[in-house]
Amino acid sequence: MHDDRRLVENRLGRVLAERITPAIYPESLPLKVSIWVAPDEPVPVAEGLAAPRTPIESGARWGAPWATSWLTVEATVPAAWAGKTVEAIIDLGFDQNMTGFQCEGLVYRPDGSPVKGLHPRNQWVRVASSAVGGEHVVLHVEAASNPIIPFFSPTALGDKSTAGDEPQYRLGRLDLAVFDEEVWLLVQDLEVLGELMHEMPEEPARRYDIVRAIERALDAVDLANVNHTAAAARACLADVLAKPAAASAHTISAVGHAHIDSAWLWPLRETVRKVARTTANMTALLADEPEFIYAMSQAAQYDFIKRHRPEVYERVKKAVSEGRFVPTGGMWVESDTNMPGSEAMARQFVHGKRFFLEEFGVENQEAWLPDTFGFAAGLPQIIKAAGSKWLLTQKISWSQLNQFPHHTFLWEGIDGTRIFTHFPPVDTYNCSMHGREIAHAARNFKDKGRASMSLAPTGWGDGGGGTTREMVAKAARMKNLEGSPKVVWDCPADFFAKAEAEYQNPPVWVGELYLELHRATLTSQAKTKQGNRRSEHLLREAELWAATAAVRKNCQYPYTALDRIWKTVLLHQFHDILPGSSIAWVHREAKQIYAAVAEELTAIIERAQWVLGGERVGPNVFNPAPHTWRSVPAGAAAVVQPGHPCSVAERAGGGFVLDNSLLRVEVDARGLVVSVFDLERQRETLPPGSAANLLQLHPDYPNAWDAWDVELFYRNRVTDLTEADFVAVDTDSPASAVVRVGRSFGSSKVEQTLALRAGARGLDIETGVEWYETEKFLKLAFPLDIHADRYACETQFGHLFRPTHINTSWEYAKFEACNHRFVHFAEPGWGVALVNDSTYGHDVTRTVRADGGTTTTLRVSLLRAPRFPDPETDHGAHYFRHSLVPGASIGDAVCAGYRVNLTPLRPGVAEAVEPLFTIDNDAVVTSAVKLADDGSGDVVLRVYEAHGGRASALVAAGFGVAGFQVCDLLERPLPGDAPAIAEGTGVRLRLRPFQLVTLRFARSPESDAE
């Protein structure tokens, strides 16, 4: 037989596009359209509905960037259409290739009730399934003219204040039309079979069966009268559509989905409306499609519509109660997981799960993070401690160099906790049910022979409107179709339960899930990262001192304020806000919000301290850190003991020598540190002939994704900033030995203070930068005379080790990595730590010197200057604090990291304050002291083992205790063997390495405040 497959395939493409698809709407008439433009920000629905309109027509330009327009469309149904299905077609000027990144609309009835969203792939509104002739149809559209942000190009469109007021869009088709369902069904039949045909090998008979069936169907279609011949064409396809899939066919659990970034190329206020449009769409689709299931994560987004679109929220609540609109993920937002601190990562689950429990009675077992830029090694324990046990993501498929070896596996964290994890092999979180995607999922699945199922998040994301009726129709045809994987609608929990039951002994991946892409998100938008870090530590202090004041002085605990502030901070940990990959508007607002958070938390702290310590006169200083500081116990206020005296002397050859009897530091005439000598251990920290505190400037022009990426070739060119404008002694610091250094380069300036403080074992480095560079990367380098094949980086509730070498491609790919408060290097018996107050990105390299010694160089990433999506990223003033701590153990690094982030130098108070808890082992570190969230007055203590070893510790409460419980993160009692037992008047803890424990103490009546 002659091979004419290509002839049939090409024929199908043209006939489908030019004849059959247009026949879905065989009759139409234009809608009458009028418009009102809101003067500034979006207005309440009632105001938008009532505002006066002016006429506008299809083809007219509309929509300044970030503006809101209210359109009214109306028409009268012709008598000839009686009994037919009628829809409004409303094209706001969509570009179908930019789904989720442009104008959108939400349709309302005249009474203000929402109908559905309008999006590039979803432009229809059902008016009637059986129309009444002569009926007048009126619909209102709240249309958002969000600009299309051009990828990888500097643009002023990313902030309302710079975007201008030129109209962005032209109204497209605005019609009332008859919907021919039979033609629409034919389109779905042909698309599914045509896409399947293209994905099949050429040899099997099944492909030829499909070719001939399509040929017969196309022959049956009268191109001049598609509507009357569609049924006959469908009949030609019935047999091939009815043939069942092979028993061994891969099964895909489709989950309705609309990944909505809580902010990215739009501000937070627009996300509120994106969520409303999408959820209106999805509740409408659920009503029409009985097998469809939709899942939405991010409790914050449910809260958005609860507060701002209650009429949509009521529809969501009803659908949730029916079990088909599924809250998933159990987090406040789909956060970054690399940079949030221990307690913040825990609170993502606390607030997310509690919202779903209180609002819907739903408890998630799965964490849902499809788009997060890599996963910290401490996350499995946090997921388990929150009462969950599964994780989904697909982002690791974006890695540039190494292909991850599994799709379903156990992920083991730093403490040994294992989480059943799935990476959807469809390799997208916006699956459209296209045959190419479905076939790819089955081919790509790496666990064949051991597992037979995978998950596909299905729907257009961001502002795309979610799952479409076309996707549902395609899934129905692939439910049991020969040559195709089987597609079924599932909720995430059901998929995970089946997958876990099937795969009894999955492989194990130990340690972080590092994304070999988007490494620069550890540095971009420094002020956002600093605001987050500062907020996390202020929240720790606010809870600690407010709880202490409540127990000691019966001071009212600020439950409501702390709950609100936590949710604000957690929202800004979203994976395009904290990583610095959003437009300028988002980061401008974040800066303002962090300032307000700091002001409110400082007021809470100061009020509690005033209640506890009396007037701000006296010798007692509060210590918020989890370790004793200069004789002040953790969580207490006491007198600070003086440290060793400090001195500054001139250095031979220029520069200065700083000494505090613990360290001797030499700063040369260039302002570079050329010696850091540990006097106690008689050990030099720096390699011979090297200089630390060296600022280095690189060109930084990645291949794409400017704010997200840094490419390894940036290292090929570097400028050492060794020229100093001045190097001078600061004589205003009697308790410290301080040298000030000034430099200038390009359009920027740096001023540093290098300080040895009384009693301190670290060299404190404070770096102020006036930064006005473009496409540059600023690093701060510390060469170390240490031979180590690995180093430690703090992560949530512990630390992980990374190699200093690049033996394999996996190590080679980790050329920029994340740390929290410290990085630590060690040889047996001696180590060195670098701690910070707000930086995350760093790199480590090693060389062997001519003398045979090893130089291990740590470089901290300070600032970048990408131009997309914010063309002025990080321009302005910045301030960083670091401390180099020679002779440091891991425990010393933990203490120093807290010290630099929790500065205890508040004005002294008259009264000493006893801590609520004392712990007799520094390896057991306090993460939180607070009152229980339920308002019971119980005191909650969260601790973790921080050194990476076994630890026994006695926890003593400084108040009367009626009993205690070991709890999960939501402060609910845990069953089974506990790591804590009563011992005398305290609690004995026996912890595994990095084990996290939450203790809840009931207060006895005699513990009532004074």
Side-chain angles (χ1 to χ4, degrees):
M1 184 178 73
H2 299 296
D3 187 356
D4 62 350
R5 288 175 299 114
R6 297 288 179 253
L7 188 67
V8 176
E9 291 168 1
N10 293 338
R11 180 186 177 192
L12 171 63
R14 183 174 186 189
V15 170
L16 192 58
E18 297 183 14
R19 291 292 188 271
I20 301 177
T21 300
I24 291 173
Y25 294 107
E27 301 175 76
S28 64
L29 58 86
L31 290 161
K32 178 183 176 184
V33 189
S34 55
I35 191 170
W36 174 74
V37 180
D40 188 26
E41 283 293 278
V43 300
V45 173
E47 184 178 342
L49 292 175
R53 306 290 201 262
T54 56
I56 191 171
E57 295 181 351
S58 176
R61 297 180 70 200
W62 73 283
W66 306 114
T68 298
S69 300
W70 283 83
L71 299 167
T72 296
V73 299
E74 52 189 312
T76 300
V77 178
W81 293 5
K84 297 182 179 181
T85 300
V86 175
E87 294 183 346
I89 304 169
I90 305 174
D91 179 359
L92 298 176
F94 297 122
D95 178 349
Q96 290 205 5
N97 296 317
M98 292 293 291
T99 303
F101 303 101
Q102 55 183 295
C103 58
E104 301 166 45
L106 182 56
V107 179
Y108 294 88
R109 298 181 184 91
D111 64 2
S113 58
V115 182
K116 67 186 293 290
L118 293 174
H119 305 87
R121 305 293 182 108
N122 209 325
Q123 302 176 25
W124 59 273
V125 181
R126 179 64 57 88
V127 170
S129 297
S130 181
V132 176
E135 180 182 2
H136 192 64
V137 176
V138 179
L139 297 171
H140 302 285
V141 181
E142 181 190 20
S145 49
N146 303 330
I148 296 175
I149 304 293
F151 273 74
F152 314 133
S153 299
T155 178
L157 292 171
D159 198 329
K160 184 179 175 182
S161 63
T162 59
D165 57 8
E166 280 295 308
Q168 301 288 290
Y169 299 101
R170 267 182 208 283
L171 292 175
R173 184 179 183 183
L174 300 166
D175 283 349
L176 194 68
V178 172
F179 175 76
D180 189 329
E181 185 174 17
E182 193 69 23
V183 175
W184 183 84
L185 291 169
L186 175 60
V187 170
Q188 312 317 310
D189 292 344
L190 288 170
E191 286 191 352
V192 166
L193 290 171
E195 291 164 8
L196 174 61
M197 176 178 63
H198 279 289
E199 295 302 321
M200 295 185 71
E202 295 188 359
E203 295 80 11
R206 172 64 170 169
R207 178 160 181 166
Y208 292 87
D209 290 343
I210 294 173
V211 168
R212 295 308 156 207
I214 290 174
E215 183 178 42
R216 290 192 296 273
L218 295 179
D219 287 342
V221 173
D222 181 349
L223 298 186
N225 197 350
V226 172
N227 301 88
H228 286 146
T229 54
R234 292 196 70 212
C236 297
L237 303 172
D239 286 346
V240 289
L241 285 168
K243 294 210 175 205
S248 60
H250 185 76
T251 299
I252 294 176
S253 289
V255 177
H257 186 239
H259 173 78
I260 301 178
D261 286 320
S262 289
W264 180 27
L265 303 181
W266 49 86
L268 282 165
R269 68 91 151 142
E270 193 54 35
T271 308
V272 174
R273 303 199 295 173
K274 285 178 178 285
V275 174
R277 297 174 198 124
T278 298
T279 53
N281 263 5
M282 294 301 92
T283 52
L285 190 60
L286 287 167
D288 292 340
E289 300 290 349
E291 292 192 0
F292 175 56
I293 294 174
Y294 178 73
M296 187 172 102
S297 68
Q298 306 193 77
Q301 295 190 358
Y302 289 81
D303 191 49
F304 285 166
I305 51 174
K306 178 184 177 182
R307 291 185 290 116
H308 298 285
R309 287 290 193 273
E311 67 281 10
V312 178
Y313 190 62
E314 287 306 309
R315 287 168 51 171
V316 170
K317 288 188 73 173
K318 181 177 182 296
V320 171
S321 70
E322 294 166 352
R324 296 177 57 220
F325 192 118
V326 182
T328 192
M331 297 175 69
W332 191 245
V333 295
E334 290 182 11
S335 72
D336 180 79
T337 75
N338 285 314
M339 291 175 283
S342 304
E343 200 60 32
M345 200 73 254
R347 303 299 176 95
Q348 284 286 353
F349 288 91
V350 169
H351 286 283
K353 294 195 76 166
R354 184 172 290 139
F355 184 93
F356 288 163
L357 281 164
E358 292 176 353
E359 290 291 314
F360 310 121
V362 171
E363 174 149 16
N364 296 112
Q365 299 268 273
E366 71 283 348
W368 183 274
L369 291 165
D371 191 30
T372 297
F373 309 151
F375 299 88
L379 188 57
Q381 179 177 206
I382 298 171
I383 293 172
K384 183 178 179 181
S388 297
K389 59 181 180 179
W390 301 315
L391 169 67
L392 177 136
T393 184
Q394 70 85 215
K395 198 66 173 188
I396 302 301
S397 69
W398 288 38
S399 285
Q400 291 174 308
L401 185 58
N402 297 286
Q403 189 176 75
F404 197 81
H406 318 296
H407 279 112
T408 305
F409 60 99
L410 294 177
W411 178 29
E412 182 177 316
I414 56 174
D415 72 313
T417 297
R418 291 181 174 181
I419 295 294
F420 189 83
T421 302
H422 180 66
F423 291 175
V426 71
D427 283 347
T428 178
Y429 43 80
N430 293 318
C431 175
S432 66
M433 283 290 132
H434 194 285
R436 180 178 57 252
E437 297 169 328
I438 301 304
H440 172 75
R443 285 194 298 261
N444 187 40
F445 188 56
K446 294 183 173 63
D447 302 287
K448 300 182 190 77
R450 294 183 173 87
S452 64
M453 60 186 67
S454 66
L455 186 146
T458 301
W460 299 115
D462 290 321
T467 317
T468 64
R469 61 185 178 185
E470 289 78 14
M471 296 175 194
V472 176
K474 286 187 170 186
R477 286 155 176 78
M478 292 185 284
K479 185 175 183 179
N480 192 14
L481 180 63
E482 183 184 358
S484 170
K486 300 173 186 176
V487 177
V488 297
W489 292 107
D490 244 339
C491 66
D494 286 347
F495 162 77
F496 272 107
K498 290 183 290 187
E500 191 172 33
E502 175 190 54
Y503 206 173
Q504 293 292 320
N505 190 28
V508 178
W509 182 269
V510 178
E512 67 182 327
L513 293 170
Y514 180 92
L515 177 63
E516 297 173 2
L517 193 73
H518 294 357
R519 303 168 182 87
T521 58
L522 302 173
T523 306
S524 297
Q525 297 288 0
K527 286 191 180 298
T528 299
K529 292 170 172 57
Q530 289 177 322
N532 173 74
R533 178 77 71 85
R534 183 66 177 140
S535 296
E536 289 179 350
H537 288 83
L538 284 171
L539 276 161
R540 172 198 172 91
E541 288 196 62
E543 289 182 336
L544 169 64
W545 302 126
T548 306
V551 173
R552 297 269 182 254
K553 301 291 186 179
N554 202 28
C555 185
Q556 185 175 4
Y557 190 79
Y559 290 103
T560 301
L562 289 172
D563 180 81
R564 172 176 43 79
I565 295 169
W566 262 118
K567 288 173 179 173
T568 298
V569 173
L570 298 177
L571 174 62
H572 286 80
Q573 290 178 341
F574 178 75
H575 66 253
D576 276 308
I577 303 179
L578 181 55
S581 47
S582 290
I583 55 174
W585 188 342
V586 173
H587 294 288
R588 171 173 54 80
E589 284 190 338
K591 179 181 176 182
Q592 296 164 353
I593 288 167
Y594 283 131
V597 163
E599 182 178 3
E600 188 171 5
L601 288 173
T602 300
I604 291 172
I605 292 166
E606 291 180 347
R607 176 173 178 266
Q609 291 181 340
W610 182 86
V611 168
L612 288 165
E615 295 184 34
R616 291 202 176 279
V617 292
N620 298 297
V621 172
F622 285 94
N623 176 19
H627 305 94
T628 297
W629 176 79
R630 301 272 296 276
S631 75
V632 182
V639 176
V640 175
Q641 297 299 320
H644 297 281
C646 304
S647 65
V648 181
E650 292 190 2
R651 174 179 176 271
F656 301 93
V657 178
L658 290 64
D659 193 313
N660 69 350
S661 301
L662 298 171
L663 296 177
R664 184 176 67 243
V665 176
E666 295 186 32
V667 181
D668 70 8
R670 302 170 297 172
L672 301 177
V673 177
V674 292
S675 174
V676 181
F677 194 75
D678 181 345
L679 293 168
E680 182 178 355
R681 296 170 180 83
Q682 292 293 294
R683 166 78 184 248
E684 175 58 53
T685 306
L686 307 185
S690 68
N693 187 44
L694 173 63
L695 289 162
Q696 295 183 307
L697 193 65
H698 294 271
D700 184 18
Y701 191 66
N703 292 338
W705 300 103
D706 297 35
W708 292 258
D709 284 355
V710 58
E711 309 284 7
L712 188 55
F713 56 70
Y714 86 92
R715 291 184 185 173
N716 295 346
R717 291 184 57 198
V718 61
T719 301
D720 292 344
L721 303 179
T722 58
E723 297 295 322
D725 297 336
F726 63 84
V727 180
V729 172
D730 187 342
T731 58
D732 296 331
S733 304
S736 305
V738 179
V739 170
R740 292 174 55 244
V741 181
R743 307 185 193 281
S744 56
F745 58 93
S747 302
S748 304
K749 293 183 179 180
V750 176
E751 185 168 326
Q752 293 181 297
T753 60
L754 311 178
L756 277 184
R757 307 191 191 282
R761 293 185 174 275
L763 171 65
D764 291 345
I765 302 169
E766 299 175 358
T767 304
V769 186
E770 291 284 344
W771 178 251
Y772 293 100
E773 303 305 303
T774 297
E775 295 168 349
K776 295 290 192 296
F777 196 4
L778 184 65
K779 292 264 188 176
L780 183 61
F782 295 88
L784 305 171
D785 187 12
I786 200 159
H787 179 82
D789 60 2
R790 66 177 190 172
Y791 68 103
C793 295
E794 188 183 35
T795 189
Q796 292 102 1
F797 297 113
H799 57 267
L800 74 154
F801 290 100
R802 294 192 180 98
T804 59
H805 56 76
I806 51 172
N807 283 354
T808 71
S809 60
W810 294 86
E811 293 142 2
Y812 175 77
K814 296 181 182 180
F815 59 82
E816 185 81 3
C818 182
N819 65 279
H820 284 193
R821 287 168 294 221
F822 71 79
V823 176
H824 181 264
F825 300 82
E827 294 175 356
W830 193 85
V832 58
L834 185 75
V835 300
N836 72 83
D837 77 333
S838 60
T839 55
Y840 296 91
H842 69 275
D843 71 83
V844 172
T845 54
R846 67 202 301 256
T847 58
V848 175
R849 306 188 299 269
D851 65 3
T854 300
T855 295
T856 302
T857 300
L858 166 65
R859 298 196 309 158
V860 177
S861 303
L862 295 183
L863 290 164
R864 299 183 68 240
R867 302 182 70 199
F868 172 78
D870 177 1
E872 295 185 352
T873 301
D874 278 331
H875 284 189
H878 300 272
Y879 180 77
F880 306 95
R881 297 177 66 210
H882 294 84
S883 186
L884 184 67
V885 188
S889 65
I890 284 285
D892 295 328
V894 173
C895 292
Y898 276 104
R899 176 184 65 82
V900 80
N901 283 274
L902 290 164
T903 304
L905 298 177
R906 297 191 183 278
V909 291
E911 299 179 30
V913 177
E914 293 297 316
L916 288 184
F917 297 99
T918 57
I919 302 174
D920 68 356
N921 185 342
D922 278 352
V924 178
V925 174
T926 300
S927 175
V929 176
K930 59 189 287 293
L931 294 195
D933 290 343
D934 61 8
S936 63
D938 290 356
V939 184
V940 172
L941 170 69
R942 187 150 34 247
V943 299
Y944 66 102
E945 196 289 315
H947 294 182
R950 302 275 175 167
S952 174
L954 183 65
V955 177
F959 55 92
V961 174
F964 77 92
Q965 295 173 315
V966 178
C967 297
D968 67 6
L969 292 178
L970 276 70
E971 301 166 8
R972 303 173 298 189
L974 286 172
D977 295 336
I981 59 172
E983 183 174 306
T985 60
V987 176
R988 172 64 62 181
L989 291 174
R990 286 186 170 83
L991 303 182
R992 303 185 307 273
F994 303 127
Q995 186 175 3
L996 160 68
V997 174
T998 302
L999 299 172
R1000 178 172 178 151
F1001 293 85
R1003 292 152 59 188
S1004 62
E1006 59 268 23
S1007 73
D1008 287 346
E1010 301 164 13

